[in-house]
Structure formats: C-alpha cells, structure tokens
Amino acid sequence: MQARSVIEIAESGGRLPTELIVVGYWASQAGVVVFVLNGVAPQAINLVLDPIVTTLPLSIPGVLYVSINDKARVCEAVRCADEIYAATRTFRRLTALYGISPRLVRSVVTAIPSLESRTLLSEKDARAPKPAGPHVVMPFPAMNRVRWGATDTTTKHPAKAAV
C-alpha cells in the first residue's frame, strides 16, 4: 500500500479531531491517506465525513481506515508513507518498532496546516486535470461575400405548398 499520509486518529479530551479528519479527507485528493484508528470506531469517522464525501468526486484516492491493533497493516502503512502524523506516544513507539526514525514522525498538531496547504496546492497542480473552458469562436467580418437570400420555393413544388 502506497500511502501519501498516515494520520493517527485518537480522541482528545473525549472529542474526535473533526477538523483533522476533514482536512485528511480533503488531502486524499492527492493520494491515499491512512487513518490509524486508536480507540475510535470507523462509524464515528463516517459520521464526520458523510456530508463531505458528496462534495468530492468518487475518483479520488480517498482514505483507508486501519485499526492500531492491526500490526501488519499499520507497519505496511508507515513504511510506505511519505509523511506520518502521531497523536499518542503509543503510536510513536509503534512507528519506532517498525523502523521509522522518530524525527520523521510529526505531531498531529502540524498536520492540519501542512495538509491544508497541500490541498490548496493540489488544486493548482499541473498534473491535475483542468476543467474544460468554453470554446470561443471569434467573429470575423464577412465583407458582404456571403448572401443569404430568401427564395420562395412554394411555386416550384406545388405538392409541398402550405394549405
């Protein structure tokens, strides 16, 4: 699994980090984002994301939920990630056990500004498909060469004449 970002999602003071979840989902336009769920149910994340998901196309890479207890998938995610954001010491210890240098693991506090700036940049990314603009046809002078004369064809074809 090639993840752009791995973000630990853990409750803080009994509250979900909703802003982090939303920003993580928006950042998933640029690559897969793995949410490592630490004591958080996937249904809780879905409640936050359900209104947001409809605002983005279904073709984006999106987010992948991985339980912190799924050691194999967490290991694979952090070893392949471009960036890792941790909320707890437990997750930091896990990343160290999987061979990730502690200086490569950032705090989730820095995730929001970092992911927001990338989302804004990805909208301007040259690799991103640009919406098609209208086809503009410029008028040009005809110089009276085209004549659209009207002719009466009813006399030529009496069967087609109006009754």
Short mmCIF file of all heavy atoms in Angstrom, two decimals, residues 9-56:
data_model
loop_
_atom_site.label_atom_id
_atom_site.label_comp_id
_atom_site.label_asym_id
_atom_site.label_seq_id
_atom_site.Cartn_x
_atom_site.Cartn_y
_atom_site.Cartn_z
N ILE A 9 -5.69 8.82 14.38
CA ILE A 9 -6.92 9.47 14.84
C ILE A 9 -7.23 8.90 16.22
O ILE A 9 -7.50 7.71 16.37
CB ILE A 9 -8.10 9.20 13.88
CG1 ILE A 9 -7.77 9.64 12.46
CG2 ILE A 9 -9.36 9.88 14.40
CD1 ILE A 9 -7.56 11.11 12.25
N ALA A 10 -7.15 9.78 17.22
CA ALA A 10 -7.43 9.39 18.60
C ALA A 10 -8.24 10.51 19.25
O ALA A 10 -8.06 11.69 18.91
CB ALA A 10 -6.14 9.17 19.37
N GLU A 11 -9.13 10.13 20.15
CA GLU A 11 -9.91 11.14 20.86
C GLU A 11 -8.99 11.92 21.79
O GLU A 11 -8.03 11.38 22.35
CB GLU A 11 -11.03 10.50 21.67
CG GLU A 11 -12.15 9.96 20.82
CD GLU A 11 -13.31 9.45 21.65
OE1 GLU A 11 -13.20 9.36 22.89
OE2 GLU A 11 -14.34 9.11 21.03
N SER A 12 -9.30 13.19 21.94
CA SER A 12 -8.55 14.05 22.86
C SER A 12 -9.56 14.77 23.73
O SER A 12 -10.40 15.51 23.21
CB SER A 12 -7.71 15.06 22.08
OG SER A 12 -7.05 15.93 22.97
N GLY A 13 -9.50 14.52 25.02
CA GLY A 13 -10.48 15.12 25.92
C GLY A 13 -11.89 14.64 25.64
O GLY A 13 -12.85 15.39 25.83
N GLY A 14 -12.01 13.39 25.15
CA GLY A 14 -13.33 12.82 24.86
C GLY A 14 -13.93 13.31 23.55
O GLY A 14 -15.09 13.03 23.27
N ARG A 15 -13.15 14.03 22.75
CA ARG A 15 -13.67 14.56 21.48
C ARG A 15 -12.85 14.06 20.30
O ARG A 15 -11.63 13.88 20.40
CB ARG A 15 -13.62 16.08 21.51
CG ARG A 15 -14.46 16.67 22.64
CD ARG A 15 -14.46 18.14 22.62
NE ARG A 15 -15.15 18.58 21.39
CZ ARG A 15 -15.22 19.82 21.00
NH1 ARG A 15 -14.64 20.77 21.72
NH2 ARG A 15 -15.84 20.15 19.90
N LEU A 16 -13.53 13.86 19.19
CA LEU A 16 -12.86 13.48 17.95
C LEU A 16 -12.18 14.71 17.33
O LEU A 16 -12.72 15.80 17.41
CB LEU A 16 -13.87 12.95 16.94
CG LEU A 16 -14.27 11.50 17.01
CD1 LEU A 16 -15.33 11.21 15.96
CD2 LEU A 16 -13.10 10.60 16.83
N PRO A 17 -11.04 14.51 16.68
CA PRO A 17 -10.41 15.63 15.98
C PRO A 17 -11.07 15.84 14.61
O PRO A 17 -10.52 15.48 13.57
CB PRO A 17 -8.96 15.16 15.85
CG PRO A 17 -9.05 13.67 15.79
CD PRO A 17 -10.22 13.31 16.67
N THR A 18 -12.27 16.40 14.62
CA THR A 18 -13.06 16.51 13.39
C THR A 18 -12.36 17.32 12.31
O THR A 18 -12.42 16.96 11.13
CB THR A 18 -14.46 17.10 13.66
OG1 THR A 18 -14.31 18.35 14.33
CG2 THR A 18 -15.28 16.16 14.52
N GLU A 19 -11.70 18.40 12.70
CA GLU A 19 -11.02 19.22 11.69
C GLU A 19 -9.90 18.41 11.02
O GLU A 19 -9.73 18.47 9.81
CB GLU A 19 -10.46 20.49 12.32
CG GLU A 19 -9.87 21.44 11.30
CD GLU A 19 -9.36 22.73 11.91
OE1 GLU A 19 -9.37 22.88 13.14
OE2 GLU A 19 -8.93 23.59 11.12
N LEU A 20 -9.17 17.66 11.81
CA LEU A 20 -8.10 16.81 11.27
C LEU A 20 -8.68 15.76 10.31
O LEU A 20 -8.11 15.51 9.24
CB LEU A 20 -7.35 16.13 12.40
CG LEU A 20 -6.24 15.16 12.01
CD1 LEU A 20 -5.12 15.88 11.26
CD2 LEU A 20 -5.68 14.48 13.26
N ILE A 21 -9.80 15.18 10.66
CA ILE A 21 -10.43 14.16 9.82
C ILE A 21 -10.86 14.78 8.48
O ILE A 21 -10.59 14.22 7.42
CB ILE A 21 -11.64 13.53 10.55
CG1 ILE A 21 -11.15 12.73 11.77
CG2 ILE A 21 -12.46 12.65 9.62
CD1 ILE A 21 -12.24 12.34 12.74
N VAL A 22 -11.47 15.93 8.53
CA VAL A 22 -11.94 16.60 7.31
C VAL A 22 -10.75 17.01 6.44
O VAL A 22 -10.74 16.77 5.22
CB VAL A 22 -12.83 17.81 7.65
CG1 VAL A 22 -13.13 18.63 6.39
CG2 VAL A 22 -14.13 17.34 8.30
N VAL A 23 -9.74 17.61 7.04
CA VAL A 23 -8.56 18.03 6.28
C VAL A 23 -7.85 16.81 5.70
O VAL A 23 -7.38 16.85 4.55
CB VAL A 23 -7.62 18.89 7.15
CG1 VAL A 23 -6.29 19.13 6.47
CG2 VAL A 23 -8.27 20.21 7.48
N GLY A 24 -7.79 15.73 6.46
CA GLY A 24 -7.18 14.50 5.95
C GLY A 24 -7.93 13.97 4.74
O GLY A 24 -7.31 13.53 3.76
N TYR A 25 -9.25 14.03 4.79
CA TYR A 25 -10.03 13.56 3.64
C TYR A 25 -9.81 14.46 2.43
O TYR A 25 -9.63 13.99 1.32
CB TYR A 25 -11.52 13.46 3.99
CG TYR A 25 -12.32 12.93 2.83
CD1 TYR A 25 -12.24 11.60 2.47
CD2 TYR A 25 -13.12 13.78 2.07
CE1 TYR A 25 -12.95 11.10 1.39
CE2 TYR A 25 -13.83 13.29 0.99
CZ TYR A 25 -13.74 11.96 0.65
OH TYR A 25 -14.44 11.47 -0.42
N TRP A 26 -9.81 15.77 2.63
CA TRP A 26 -9.57 16.69 1.52
C TRP A 26 -8.18 16.47 0.93
O TRP A 26 -8.00 16.53 -0.29
CB TRP A 26 -9.71 18.15 1.99
CG TRP A 26 -11.13 18.60 1.93
CD1 TRP A 26 -12.07 18.49 2.92
CD2 TRP A 26 -11.80 19.18 0.82
NE1 TRP A 26 -13.27 18.99 2.49
CE2 TRP A 26 -13.14 19.42 1.20
CE3 TRP A 26 -11.41 19.53 -0.47
CZ2 TRP A 26 -14.07 19.99 0.34
CZ3 TRP A 26 -12.34 20.11 -1.31
CH2 TRP A 26 -13.65 20.32 -0.91
N ALA A 27 -7.20 16.17 1.78
CA ALA A 27 -5.84 15.92 1.29
C ALA A 27 -5.76 14.62 0.50
O ALA A 27 -4.84 14.44 -0.29
CB ALA A 27 -4.85 15.89 2.46
N SER A 28 -6.74 13.74 0.69
CA SER A 28 -6.71 12.46 -0.03
C SER A 28 -6.97 12.63 -1.52
O SER A 28 -6.91 11.65 -2.26
CB SER A 28 -7.72 11.49 0.58
OG SER A 28 -9.04 11.83 0.23
N GLN A 29 -7.23 13.83 -1.96
CA GLN A 29 -7.34 14.09 -3.40
C GLN A 29 -5.99 13.88 -4.08
O GLN A 29 -5.92 13.55 -5.26
CB GLN A 29 -7.79 15.53 -3.66
CG GLN A 29 -9.18 15.83 -3.15
CD GLN A 29 -9.51 17.28 -3.33
OE1 GLN A 29 -9.84 17.71 -4.42
NE2 GLN A 29 -9.43 18.05 -2.26
N ALA A 30 -4.90 14.09 -3.32
CA ALA A 30 -3.54 14.00 -3.87
C ALA A 30 -2.92 12.62 -3.68
O ALA A 30 -1.85 12.35 -4.20
CB ALA A 30 -2.65 15.05 -3.21
N GLY A 31 -3.54 11.73 -2.94
CA GLY A 31 -3.02 10.39 -2.69
C GLY A 31 -3.72 9.77 -1.50
O GLY A 31 -4.36 10.45 -0.71
N VAL A 32 -3.56 8.46 -1.37
CA VAL A 32 -4.23 7.74 -0.29
C VAL A 32 -3.76 8.25 1.07
O VAL A 32 -2.57 8.43 1.30
CB VAL A 32 -3.96 6.22 -0.38
CG1 VAL A 32 -4.52 5.48 0.83
CG2 VAL A 32 -4.53 5.66 -1.66
N VAL A 33 -4.72 8.49 1.95
CA VAL A 33 -4.45 8.88 3.33
C VAL A 33 -4.95 7.74 4.21
O VAL A 33 -6.09 7.29 4.07
CB VAL A 33 -5.16 10.20 3.71
CG1 VAL A 33 -5.01 10.49 5.20
CG2 VAL A 33 -4.60 11.36 2.87
N VAL A 34 -4.07 7.25 5.08
CA VAL A 34 -4.44 6.17 6.01
C VAL A 34 -4.74 6.79 7.36
O VAL A 34 -3.91 7.50 7.92
CB VAL A 34 -3.31 5.12 6.13
CG1 VAL A 34 -3.67 4.07 7.16
CG2 VAL A 34 -3.03 4.48 4.79
N PHE A 35 -5.94 6.54 7.87
CA PHE A 35 -6.30 6.92 9.22
C PHE A 35 -6.05 5.71 10.11
O PHE A 35 -6.71 4.68 9.96
CB PHE A 35 -7.77 7.32 9.33
CG PHE A 35 -8.13 8.66 8.74
CD1 PHE A 35 -9.44 8.94 8.41
CD2 PHE A 35 -7.18 9.65 8.54
CE1 PHE A 35 -9.81 10.17 7.88
CE2 PHE A 35 -7.53 10.89 8.01
CZ PHE A 35 -8.84 11.15 7.68
N VAL A 36 -5.09 5.82 11.03
CA VAL A 36 -4.85 4.78 12.01
C VAL A 36 -5.76 5.09 13.19
O VAL A 36 -5.57 6.09 13.88
CB VAL A 36 -3.36 4.72 12.44
CG1 VAL A 36 -3.18 3.68 13.54
CG2 VAL A 36 -2.49 4.40 11.24
N LEU A 37 -6.76 4.24 13.39
CA LEU A 37 -7.78 4.48 14.40
C LEU A 37 -7.34 3.92 15.74
O LEU A 37 -7.17 2.71 15.90
CB LEU A 37 -9.10 3.86 13.97
CG LEU A 37 -9.62 4.29 12.59
CD1 LEU A 37 -10.96 3.64 12.29
CD2 LEU A 37 -9.70 5.79 12.47
N ASN A 38 -7.16 4.82 16.70
CA ASN A 38 -6.72 4.45 18.05
C ASN A 38 -7.87 4.73 19.01
O ASN A 38 -8.04 5.86 19.47
CB ASN A 38 -5.48 5.26 18.43
CG ASN A 38 -4.88 4.83 19.75
OD1 ASN A 38 -5.44 3.99 20.46
ND2 ASN A 38 -3.75 5.40 20.10
N GLY A 39 -8.68 3.70 19.27
CA GLY A 39 -9.81 3.86 20.18
C GLY A 39 -11.00 4.58 19.54
O GLY A 39 -11.89 5.04 20.25
N VAL A 40 -11.00 4.68 18.24
CA VAL A 40 -12.08 5.36 17.51
C VAL A 40 -12.70 4.36 16.54
O VAL A 40 -11.99 3.66 15.83
CB VAL A 40 -11.52 6.58 16.74
CG1 VAL A 40 -12.60 7.22 15.90
CG2 VAL A 40 -10.90 7.58 17.69
N ALA A 41 -14.03 4.31 16.52
CA ALA A 41 -14.74 3.40 15.62
C ALA A 41 -14.84 4.02 14.22
O ALA A 41 -14.99 5.23 14.09
CB ALA A 41 -16.13 3.13 16.16
N PRO A 42 -14.76 3.19 13.19
CA PRO A 42 -14.92 3.70 11.82
C PRO A 42 -16.25 4.45 11.63
O PRO A 42 -16.32 5.42 10.88
CB PRO A 42 -14.88 2.45 10.95
CG PRO A 42 -14.17 1.43 11.77
CD PRO A 42 -14.47 1.76 13.20
N GLN A 43 -17.31 4.02 12.32
CA GLN A 43 -18.60 4.68 12.20
C GLN A 43 -18.54 6.13 12.68
O GLN A 43 -19.23 6.99 12.12
CB GLN A 43 -19.68 3.91 13.00
CG GLN A 43 -19.97 2.53 12.49
CD GLN A 43 -18.95 1.48 12.98
OE1 GLN A 43 -18.03 1.76 13.72
NE2 GLN A 43 -19.13 0.25 12.50
N ALA A 44 -17.70 6.41 13.68
CA ALA A 44 -17.55 7.78 14.16
C ALA A 44 -16.90 8.66 13.09
O ALA A 44 -17.29 9.81 12.89
CB ALA A 44 -16.73 7.80 15.45
N ILE A 45 -15.92 8.10 12.38
CA ILE A 45 -15.27 8.82 11.29
C ILE A 45 -16.28 9.05 10.16
O ILE A 45 -16.35 10.13 9.58
CB ILE A 45 -14.04 8.05 10.75
CG1 ILE A 45 -13.06 7.72 11.86
CG2 ILE A 45 -13.38 8.81 9.62
CD1 ILE A 45 -12.42 8.88 12.53
N ASN A 46 -17.08 8.02 9.86
CA ASN A 46 -18.09 8.15 8.81
C ASN A 46 -19.10 9.25 9.11
O ASN A 46 -19.53 9.96 8.20
CB ASN A 46 -18.82 6.83 8.60
CG ASN A 46 -17.94 5.79 7.94
OD1 ASN A 46 -16.92 6.11 7.34
ND2 ASN A 46 -18.34 4.54 8.05
N LEU A 47 -19.49 9.40 10.37
CA LEU A 47 -20.43 10.46 10.74
C LEU A 47 -19.84 11.84 10.42
O LEU A 47 -20.57 12.74 10.01
CB LEU A 47 -20.78 10.37 12.22
CG LEU A 47 -21.73 9.25 12.61
CD1 LEU A 47 -21.91 9.21 14.13
CD2 LEU A 47 -23.08 9.42 11.93
N VAL A 48 -18.55 11.98 10.60
CA VAL A 48 -17.89 13.26 10.29
C VAL A 48 -17.79 13.45 8.79
O VAL A 48 -18.02 14.54 8.26
CB VAL A 48 -16.49 13.32 10.94
CG1 VAL A 48 -15.74 14.56 10.50
CG2 VAL A 48 -16.58 13.25 12.46
N LEU A 49 -17.43 12.38 8.07
CA LEU A 49 -17.15 12.51 6.64
C LEU A 49 -18.36 12.42 5.72
O LEU A 49 -18.29 12.88 4.58
CB LEU A 49 -16.12 11.45 6.22
CG LEU A 49 -14.72 11.63 6.76
CD1 LEU A 49 -13.81 10.53 6.23
CD2 LEU A 49 -14.17 13.00 6.38
N ASP A 50 -19.46 11.83 6.17
CA ASP A 50 -20.61 11.64 5.28
C ASP A 50 -21.03 12.91 4.55
O ASP A 50 -21.25 12.88 3.34
CB ASP A 50 -21.79 11.02 6.03
CG ASP A 50 -21.62 9.52 6.21
OD1 ASP A 50 -20.74 8.93 5.54
OD2 ASP A 50 -22.36 8.93 7.02
N PRO A 51 -21.14 14.06 5.22
CA PRO A 51 -21.53 15.26 4.46
C PRO A 51 -20.44 15.77 3.52
O PRO A 51 -20.71 16.46 2.56
CB PRO A 51 -21.82 16.31 5.54
CG PRO A 51 -21.61 15.67 6.85
CD PRO A 51 -21.08 14.30 6.64
N ILE A 52 -19.18 15.42 3.79
CA ILE A 52 -18.05 15.91 2.99
C ILE A 52 -17.85 15.06 1.75
O ILE A 52 -17.49 15.58 0.69
CB ILE A 52 -16.75 15.90 3.83
CG1 ILE A 52 -16.93 16.57 5.19
CG2 ILE A 52 -15.59 16.50 3.06
CD1 ILE A 52 -17.36 17.98 5.17
N VAL A 53 -18.07 13.77 1.86
CA VAL A 53 -17.79 12.84 0.76
C VAL A 53 -18.55 13.22 -0.51
O VAL A 53 -18.02 13.12 -1.61
CB VAL A 53 -18.11 11.39 1.20
CG1 VAL A 53 -18.09 10.44 0.02
CG2 VAL A 53 -17.12 10.93 2.26
N THR A 54 -19.75 13.72 -0.35
CA THR A 54 -20.55 14.07 -1.53
C THR A 54 -20.03 15.30 -2.25
O THR A 54 -20.44 15.57 -3.37
CB THR A 54 -22.02 14.31 -1.12
OG1 THR A 54 -22.06 15.37 -0.17
CG2 THR A 54 -22.63 13.06 -0.54
N THR A 55 -19.11 16.05 -1.63
CA THR A 55 -18.60 17.27 -2.26
C THR A 55 -17.40 17.01 -3.17
O THR A 55 -17.01 17.90 -3.91
CB THR A 55 -18.19 18.31 -1.20
OG1 THR A 55 -17.09 17.80 -0.43
CG2 THR A 55 -19.35 18.65 -0.29
N LEU A 56 -16.83 15.82 -3.08
CA LEU A 56 -15.67 15.50 -3.91
C LEU A 56 -16.02 14.36 -4.87
O LEU A 56 -16.89 13.54 -4.58
CB LEU A 56 -14.49 15.07 -3.02
CG LEU A 56 -13.88 16.17 -2.15
CD1 LEU A 56 -12.80 15.59 -1.25
CD2 LEU A 56 -13.31 17.29 -2.98
#
